[in-house]
Amino acid sequence: MESILLAQLSGALYGLLAVIFGAFGAHALKKKMTPELLKSFETGVKYQMYHATVLLVLGFNLGFDSPLDTYIVNCFVFGTLLFSFSIYGLCLSAASGNKLRFLGPITPIGGLILVLGWGLLLYSFVRPMI
């Protein structure tokens, strides 16, 4: 039950924030960021929205009858948090002239966790056939 709620709440929150951050990037940040930084910021927003949608679909469709389902949700929740939000921090700090370099290694770690989530989801589909 807790994993279902985590998937649904995280999916809804990430979707809400992706719309807000997307509008913020398109309007408020357009004049403050270089085109390269703005493109990176938009990448964070896109990936956040993709995974918000995935979390909502999983929250309403997974049975959560095995630990694997919980691992999948956790990978998407925490991978998105690390990936997208580190990109936001990097872009915003670079635009202000004080780049937070410690966030640089966090982005690929978040990406790897997202890849792991997709791999586990794939495994959950093929496992019954093995």
Side-chain angles (χ1 to χ4, degrees), residues 1-15 52 54-62 64 73 77:
M1 181 66 167
E2 293 167 0
S3 295
I4 293 171
L5 190 58
L6 176 65
Q8 293 170 346
L9 290 177
S10 297
L13 178 63
Y14 283 167
V54 168
L55 283 165
L56 289 172
V57 169
L58 294 176
F60 286 103
N61 289 294
L62 283 181
F64 293 96
V73 167
V77 169

Side-chain angles (χ1 to χ4, degrees), residues 39-122:
K39 186 174 180 181
S40 292
F41 191 88
E42 290 170 356
T43 297
V45 172
K46 284 190 288 186
Y47 274 70
Q48 183 176 331
M49 184 57 87
Y50 298 153
H51 291 93
T53 304
V54 168
L55 283 165
L56 289 172
V57 169
L58 294 176
F60 286 103
N61 289 294
L62 283 181
F64 293 96
D65 50 1
S66 78
L68 181 59
D69 294 343
T70 300
Y71 297 149
I72 293 166
V73 167
N74 286 336
C75 284
F76 287 137
V77 169
F78 296 110
T80 301
L81 181 69
L82 293 175
F83 182 81
S84 291
F85 286 80
S86 66
I87 289 176
Y88 302 148
L90 284 166
C91 292
L92 292 170
S93 64
S96 69
N98 190 19
K99 190 171 185 179
L100 301 174
R101 297 195 185 281
F102 73 90
L103 292 174
I106 294 174
T107 306
I109 292 169
L112 285 172
I113 295 170
L114 290 173
V115 169
L116 179 61
W118 284 105
L120 291 173
L121 183 61
L122 176 63

Side-chain angles (χ1 to χ4, degrees), residues 14-26:
Y14 283 167
L16 170 81
L17 292 175
V19 172
I20 292 169
F21 294 162
F24 182 65

